[in-house]
Amino acid sequence: MTYLLGLTGGIASGKSTVSRVFKAAGFPVVDADVIARRIVEPGRPALARIVQAFGPQVLREDGKLNRAKLGEIVFSQPRRLEALNQINRPYLRAAINQALAQAKAGGAAIVIGDIPLLYEADYVDAFDGVAVVTVDPKVQLDRLMARDGLTEAEAKERIASQIPLAKKAAMADFVIDNNGRPEATIAQAKALIRQLQHLS
Ligand SMILES: CC(C)(COP(=O)(O)OP(=O)(O)OC[C@H]1O[C@@H](n2cnc3c(N)ncnc32)[C@H](O)[C@@H]1O)[C@@H](O)C(=O)NCCC(=O)NCCS
Ligand SMILES: Nc1ncnc2c1ncn2[C@@H]1O[C@H](COP(=O)(O)OP(=O)(O)OP(=O)(O)O)[C@@H](O)[C@H]1O
């Protein structure tokens, strides 16, 4: 039996560190951010609908989505973000479900769905359990500004567009605390793998 684990957190909370531990242990990881990029490649219906809704300003000269431009628009205007979500979510859901089913068919003991918006987009029922990678608000803000070169105001907007991490942690089956050094987070991820191997 495969244990289907949903892995989530908030923007820049450290999901990548945890998903790397699962990958290194040989478990398949379905990455929603990667799928979200694929469904808006040139020629895909989701991209055409985004251009219809947001105008040609969100396209680069080479016809690809201008992610920085679209990010600037949607994260500063909640109603525009909602419009983007309405367009993307059906395509995302279909592609994520298909990738999870395919990974599960491979028969691994644990399959991971790394989905930043797992709670916001309501994927809970797709999983046997959910792990949340959490950090304190100040740590999240500092790491996000450093990683993406955002101003404090921009980083705060992006954090505010998601359910607060503390709330996600309260809903989770498993919580990984990423406030400390990466080694401490890696140790927690390895302990979670051992725990799940008993459940699968
Ligand atoms: C707005 C876009 C173009 C910005 O692109 P950019 O390359 O700057 O960011 P990237 O896609 O790498 O996302 C970084 C992080 O932002 C957060 N984020 C992304 N989309 C959203 C959203 N709709 N609502 C809240 N947070 C979001 C997530 O934590 C994600 O990990 C892009 O994020 C996008 O198309 N988002 C909509 C698709 C989506 O819902 N993706 C999340 C998959 S669960
Ligand atoms: N324990 C840690 N100590 C110091 N820096 C860290 C730690 N964990 C993550 N970081 C740094 O914080 C930033 C965010 O981490 P990461 O990219 O793993 O988050 P994420 O949850 O995968 O983000 P997103 O969903 O936004 O793509 C990165 O620059 C990363 O190097």
Side-chain angles (χ1 to χ4, degrees):
M1 271 285 282
T2 298
Y3 187 96
L4 210 47
L5 178 73
L7 176 65
T8 192
I11 188 163
S13 74
K15 287 179 302 300
S16 315
T17 308
V18 174
S19 76
R20 267 198 300 274
V21 175
F22 278 90
K23 278 182 204 152
F27 300 113
V29 176
V30 170
D31 185 328
D33 277 341
V34 171
I35 292 177
R37 280 167 199 264
R38 212 176 291 146
I39 62 156
V40 295
E41 279 169 0
R44 296 296 186 100
L47 182 59
R49 291 191 53 198
I50 289 169
V51 175
Q52 217 172 34
F54 291 88
Q57 58 169 338
V58 297
L59 277 186
R60 300 190 324 200
E61 269 182 14
D62 62 4
K64 289 189 178 158
L65 182 64
N66 185 335
R67 306 181 66 83
K69 182 74 196 167
L70 183 58
E72 263 172 42
I73 297 171
V74 296
F75 291 118
S76 62
Q77 301 174 74
R79 286 176 55 192
R80 305 299 280 151
L81 181 61
E82 189 46 42
L84 177 64
N85 287 340
Q86 291 281 339
I87 294 170
N88 272 338
R89 286 210 175 146
Y91 298 103
L92 259 175
R93 189 173 296 277
I96 288 173
N97 285 340
Q98 192 194 2
L100 285 172
Q102 202 176 336
K104 205 175 162 181
I110 306 169
V111 167
I112 297 90
D114 179 345
I115 307 189
L117 303 177
L118 187 146
Y119 286 113
E120 290 86 346
D122 201 10
Y123 282 93
V124 178
D125 291 345
F127 295 101
D128 296 314
V130 175
V132 166
V133 183
T134 188
V135 283
D136 294 340
K138 177 80 174 91
V139 176
Q140 184 182 22
L141 182 65
D142 289 347
R143 287 184 185 164
L144 176 57
M145 287 168 64
R147 187 192 66 183
D148 291 354
L150 300 176
T151 63
E152 184 170 337
E154 287 169 335
K156 282 184 168 164
E157 277 169 5
R158 286 177 196 221
I159 291 171
S161 74
Q162 303 184 342
I163 296 173
L165 267 173
K167 227 172 162 177
K168 291 186 182 180
M171 292 189 273
D173 300 289
F174 312 97
V175 176
I176 293 178
D177 179 337
N178 186 36
N179 283 303
R181 291 157 51 88
E183 293 73 19
T185 301
I186 291 166
Q188 293 173 73
K190 287 181 175 170
L192 176 58
I193 290 175
R194 287 193 294 275
Q195 198 178 341
L196 295 179
Q197 277 171 328
H198 289 297
L199 295 175
S200 66

